[in-house]
């Protein structure tokens, strides 16, 4: 009876140790001469971290900071342009009305469809008017 209890205790201890191992994190750290480089494994962003006054301060890498600022400037200009257009009553999307040629083409297609449909209706009406047991061609064959 003692052996199964010890075996069960060993399994429990192994599971507990396994559960306490840290999962891989979002950030990968690498020590550098001036501090620590931190890589965000989800976005690819690199930050340079330094300790100062008992705090760890991280800043974007210079090339990423420049790209970030350029993107921010571009978006700011786009927002300003859109706000100006809205303020002046302009809308970005004005519907384009069809040309006379496009209208004529559409009407021609619709007319052909309606004529075809009306032909089918007339055929069905003729079939309904013929006496049962006979077709328009003569007596029904069985």
């Amino acid at each position: 009876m003692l052996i199964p209890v010890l075996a069960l205790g060993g399994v429990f201890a192994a599971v507990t140790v396994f559960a306490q191992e840290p999962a891989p994190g979002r950030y990968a750290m690498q020590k550098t001469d001036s501090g620590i480089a931190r890589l965000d494994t989800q976005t690819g962003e690199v930050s340079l971290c330094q300790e100062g006054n008992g705090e760890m301060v991280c800043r974007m890498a210079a090339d990423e900071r420049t790209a970030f600022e350029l993107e921010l400037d571009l978006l700011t200009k786009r927002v300003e342009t859109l706000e100006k257009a809205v303020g002046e009553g302009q809308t970005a999307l004005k519907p384009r009305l069809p040309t006379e040629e496009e209208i004529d083409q559409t009407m021609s297609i619709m007319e052909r469809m309606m004529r075809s449909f009306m032909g089918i209706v007339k055929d069905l009406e003729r079939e309904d008017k013929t006496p049962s047991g006979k077709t328009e061609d003569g007596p029904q064959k069985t």
Side-chain angles (χ1 to χ4, degrees):
M1 174 109 176
L2 185 59
I3 292 176
V5 171
L6 288 176
L8 184 59
V11 170
F12 180 76
V15 169
T16 304
V17 169
F18 182 72
Q20 291 177 352
E21 289 183 22
R26 176 175 175 175
Y27 298 99
M29 306 284 207
Q30 181 68 40
K31 188 162 179 68
T32 65
D33 293 337
S34 60
I36 297 173
R38 179 181 72 174
L39 170 66
D40 185 333
T41 59
Q42 290 181 359
T43 65
E45 182 180 287
V46 176
S47 300
L48 300 175
C49 303
Q50 294 178 333
E51 186 178 348
N53 297 330
E55 294 182 344
M56 186 64 90
V57 178
C58 297
R59 293 197 168 94
M60 281 189 230
D63 56 339
E64 288 186 12
R65 181 71 185 182
T66 302
F68 173 76
E69 288 175 355
L70 288 173
E71 183 69 15
L72 186 62
D73 288 342
L74 174 68
L75 292 173
T76 302
K77 288 176 186 174
R78 288 180 63 190
V79 168
E80 288 171 355
T81 302
L82 289 171
E83 287 175 345
K84 181 179 176 185
V86 168
E88 294 174 355
Q90 299 174 1
T91 58
L93 299 175
K94 291 185 180 179
R96 183 186 69 83
L97 298 175
T99 64
E100 288 294 323
E101 183 180 305
E102 291 171 329
I103 292 172
D104 290 343
Q105 182 182 14
T106 301
M107 292 303 292
S108 174
I109 292 169
M110 290 174 62
E111 182 181 358
R112 285 194 315 248
M113 287 174 47
M114 287 302 294
R115 287 186 187 277
S116 179
F117 176 74
M118 293 307 291
I120 292 170
V121 169
K122 287 179 183 177
D123 288 344
L124 290 172
E125 286 175 349
R126 271 189 247 130
E127 286 179 15
D128 284 346
K129 290 182 182 179
T130 57
S132 61
K134 290 186 177 180
T135 63
E136 292 181 6
D137 299 332
Q140 186 177 20
K141 297 180 183 177
T142 54

